[in-house]
Amino acid sequence: MTTTVAATVEAAVSALRQGEIVWARTALPARRRLLDQIHANTARYSREWVETAAAIKQLPLDSPLLGEEWVSGPYSLLTGAAALAESLLALEEGRSPVDGYPIHAAPGGRTAVDVFPHGLFDWLLLNGFHAEVWSGPGVDAETVRARAGLGQRTPNQTGGVGVVLGAGNIFSIAPLDVLYQLYADNRVVALKLNPITDPLLPVLEKIFAPMIELGFVRLLTGGPEVGTALVHHAGVDAVHMTGSALTHDAIVFGTGEEGARNKAAGTPTLTKPITSELGGVSPTIVVPGRWSNADLRFQAEHLATQRLHNNGYNCVAAQVAVISADWPQKDRFLAELRAALERAPQRPDYYPGSAARVDDARRSYPDAERIGARTLITGLVPDRNEAALRTEYFAPVLGVLELRGDPAEFLAQAVRVCNDEFEGTLGVNIIADPATIDRLGEHFDRAVADLRYGTVAINAWTGLGYLTARASWGAFPGHTLADIQSGIGVVHNGLLIAEPERTVVRGPFRPAPRSLLRGEFALSPKPPWFVTNRTGATTLRRLTDFAKRPGVAALPGIFASALRG
């Protein structure tokens, strides 16, 4: 470690140690006003944020893909700050943050809190979409209500200094993780940016200026030596990271042969608490049914979006589609999937190592199809040695695994395979038409409950769970440092629910107006986050503008753009 790095890290931690004293004395109303300032600054600098993101990802400013940067950038921070501010207001007034939200029983003795839609605007903007947060088994509604608020229930009992090792793919991850450390864990934060995102430093400094001035936040750049110095600094009490399991293990156990020995012996070199969000191999279960040609095309585009959003550089990007070998429409669906992969806009491979990971997939599967810059692997089978089920490619690579059986048998087998043979537990998607869901009845409900994933999305993409500020986001609970999978702990969770088990997201199987014609009451057209949506950039920019200052006047423009998509 160089003298410069040591001095930089020491200065940051020392300032935060002083800032923690001030944070402990900062009452809830002042903490809420800081969130309001973060919201206002995010609104003010949102265009600079998106233009910087476009430069990093090598996207022209007129690209239809720029909607991804609006919604997964400033929009997510705007809604996250607003949700936390609402929770603090509830605590100020002596209420629980979950008061006013429908709470009901969920399978297996769990309790569910309906977190979306929340209010008329949610209902109008994403009509037909729904999200709920489930507790673990045996937790009743009163316990959920009493424990919601986490660190803000005792604001003067602070948690020391935390370090956030930021992500380099989705640019709201790091700032949202900072807010979670501050408000859920009640500790001040040093954010070490991923080098990919260093150009965003000036924007983030403007957004977090009020907290930087008070000593609650410090932003640092640099290489691995800066991160290493931070996490091992004696003045740092906890660490949160986003990245790969390999990076996690290097931080916790060390590198090389010594690191491997430490992991095998269960002796971490980093002994302070560490939470993490690490991705994995996310599946999409396609339940067989009788679909129209329009259904086949729409859901093929849906699956392509789950893989190709951000060019596949998402911790929850769908990597393997699990489909029925006995489905009469299987071949037609796969034909539509190939067409959707080809139709989706091409984009640069901006994320380091992408080409090498694609090459690795193609070496493992020499018969894989090349669809432009995308790779489609068919013929996968349940097998613990199947590379595509165990390796997160983090690139535009999609696999197809086939299972046999009628819909009920297929779904039960798919749940078992996804639970037991896929690496990671961050998110799983299920695509099934309403008639099939009705026929499956309790078999379908059991499948949802049995899936051991932090977010389960039904006829929606788990990415929507990320975008829902009041939903929890993270791996399914139960992982250990030695078998980390998709990580430990959650983030986002704007209602500050204690120890949530999962988020369950539901969406319409068909977009409007076909949904209405087929008896599915949902008014949402083709989602603006689809990679094939022609007006996604405009719609999601307008949605971000709405999040800056919600109001009825903004709705017609959003609806008009969404309908044109």
Side-chain angles (χ1 to χ4, degrees):
M1 178 171 45
T2 66
T3 303
T4 302
V5 168
T8 299
V9 170
E10 183 62 41
V13 175
S14 296
L16 289 168
R17 276 296 176 195
Q18 294 301 309
E20 184 193 5
I21 298 171
V22 182
W23 182 244
R25 297 170 181 167
T26 304
L28 292 179
R31 293 182 178 204
R32 178 169 52 83
R33 286 193 291 273
L34 282 168
L35 287 167
D36 292 340
Q37 291 176 279
I38 296 295
H39 187 280
N41 289 346
T42 304
R44 181 177 180 183
Y45 299 109
S46 60
R47 183 168 292 278
E48 182 182 350
W49 178 333
V50 171
E51 290 177 354
T52 304
I56 294 171
K57 297 188 178 182
Q58 303 167 40
L59 294 173
L61 293 179
D62 61 352
S63 170
L65 296 170
L66 213 60
E68 296 178 0
E69 301 312 312
W70 283 104
V71 76
S72 67
Y75 172 85
S76 294
L77 188 54
L78 287 165
T79 55
L84 284 171
E86 184 183 275
S87 291
L88 262 65
L89 179 60
L91 292 168
E92 288 172 45
E93 296 175 346
R95 298 180 287 111
S96 169
V98 302
D99 285 350
Y101 291 79
I103 301 178
H104 55 90
R110 298 171 172 89
T111 296
V113 181
D114 290 349
V115 299
F116 189 93
H118 176 60
L120 179 62
F121 288 146
D122 282 354
W123 187 87
L124 289 171
L125 288 168
L126 284 173
N127 187 270
F129 290 88
H130 176 85
E132 55 193 35
V133 174
W134 289 13
S135 73
V139 180
D140 61 21
E142 284 308 310
T143 301
V144 170
R145 188 175 287 109
R147 297 180 65 195
L150 296 176
Q152 299 311 296
R153 300 188 68 84
T154 54
N156 62 328
Q157 298 175 21
T158 52
V161 175
V163 165
V164 169
L165 301 178
N169 58 332
I170 295 294
F171 296 157
S172 61
I173 291 177
L176 285 170
D177 290 349
V178 168
L179 292 186
Y180 202 71
Q181 289 283 308
L182 279 161
Y183 288 91
D185 296 318
N186 203 26
R187 58 174 64 105
V188 294
V189 191
L191 167 61
K192 161 63 174 67
L193 292 175
N194 185 298
I196 295 173
T197 66
D198 282 356
L200 279 168
L201 177 64
V203 178
L204 295 177
E205 286 178 329
K206 295 171 189 173
I207 289 172
F208 280 98
M211 290 183 169
I212 294 172
E213 182 180 348
L214 292 167
F216 303 156
V217 172
R218 284 292 182 270
L219 307 179
L220 294 91
T221 60
E225 68 279 4
V226 178
T228 300
L230 271 172
V231 300
H232 289 285
H233 192 286
V236 167
D237 299 284
V239 176
H240 177 80
M241 65 158 292
T242 302
S244 70
L246 289 175
T247 302
H248 171 274
D249 288 351
I251 292 170
V252 172
F253 295 107
T255 59
E257 293 183 1
E258 181 182 1
R261 286 194 298 270
N262 290 338
K263 183 177 179 180
T267 54
T269 57
L270 182 71
T271 56
K272 58 193 68 176
I274 179 168
T275 54
S276 50
E277 190 260 87
L278 306 176
V281 178
S282 292
T284 294
I285 302 170
V286 182
V287 183
R290 296 181 63 183
W291 298 4
S292 68
N293 289 336
D295 294 337
L296 292 165
R297 180 185 177 95
F298 177 78
Q299 292 299 345
E301 292 184 356
H302 191 184
L303 179 54
T305 293
Q306 294 173 5
R307 177 70 262 184
L308 296 180
H309 183 280
N310 199 31
N311 207 36
Y313 310 135
N314 286 338
C315 50
V316 77
Q319 183 165 301
V320 177
V322 183
I323 69 174
S324 170
D326 299 322
W327 185 23
Q329 294 180 298
K330 178 194 71 173
D331 290 339
R332 290 171 60 196
F333 177 73
L334 291 178
E336 289 288 359
L337 178 60
R338 291 181 177 93
L341 293 172
E342 187 169 11
R343 201 161 54 242
Q346 300 291 324
R347 60 187 300 162
D349 295 337
Y350 79 90
Y351 201 88
S354 176
R357 290 189 295 276
V358 171
D359 288 344
D360 181 52
R362 290 173 175 173
R363 280 193 299 270
S364 297
Y365 299 97
D367 295 331
E369 301 175 45
R370 302 189 182 199
I371 304 174
R374 290 79 190 246
T375 300
L376 181 66
I377 304 167
T378 55
L380 299 178
V381 297
D383 185 341
R384 290 186 181 276
N385 294 319
E386 191 77 81
L389 277 59
R390 311 297 296 174
T391 305
E392 183 184 15
Y393 289 124
F394 214 67
V397 177
L398 178 64
V400 178
L401 182 149
E402 297 186 21
L403 302 174
R404 307 204 75 89
D406 64 28
E409 294 167 338
F410 163 81
L411 183 56
Q413 188 179 182
V415 169
R416 180 191 61 76
V417 170
C418 291
N419 281 342
D420 297 343
E421 301 194 27
F422 279 63
E423 186 75 15
T425 65
L426 187 61
V428 59
N429 311 284
I430 307 175
I431 297 174
D433 68 277
T436 300
I437 292 174
D438 288 344
R439 282 195 299 272
L440 288 169
E442 65 179 23
H443 293 288
F444 189 85
D445 295 338
R446 187 181 308 119
V448 173
D450 287 347
L451 282 162
R452 297 193 296 269
Y453 285 82
T455 298
V456 180
I458 303 153
N459 292 330
W461 177 35
T462 46
L464 185 60
Y466 176 94
L467 295 175
T468 302
R470 295 171 179 86
S472 62
W473 183 254
F476 194 80
H479 300 315
T480 65
L481 291 180
D483 183 20
I484 195 64
Q485 296 283 319
S486 290
I488 296 172
V490 300
V491 290
H492 302 188
N493 188 26
L495 297 181
L496 300 174
I497 295 170
E499 297 180 2
E501 181 188 69
R502 74 181 82 187
T503 288
V504 178
V505 179
R506 298 176 189 267
F509 179 72
R510 301 175 180 92
R514 286 196 303 112
S515 55
L516 298 173
L517 298 174
R518 296 294 297 270
E520 186 180 9
F521 185 72
L523 302 178
S524 292
K526 183 180 189 176
W529 54 83
F530 269 38
V531 292
T532 51
N533 191 302
R534 296 171 297 175
T535 62
T538 300
T539 304
L540 294 172
R541 174 179 56 78
R542 291 178 179 176
L543 185 64
T544 304
D545 289 341
F546 174 86
K548 297 175 185 177
R549 183 174 293 181
V552 174
L555 296 179
I558 297 173
F559 294 153
S561 179
L563 289 169
R564 287 196 301 271

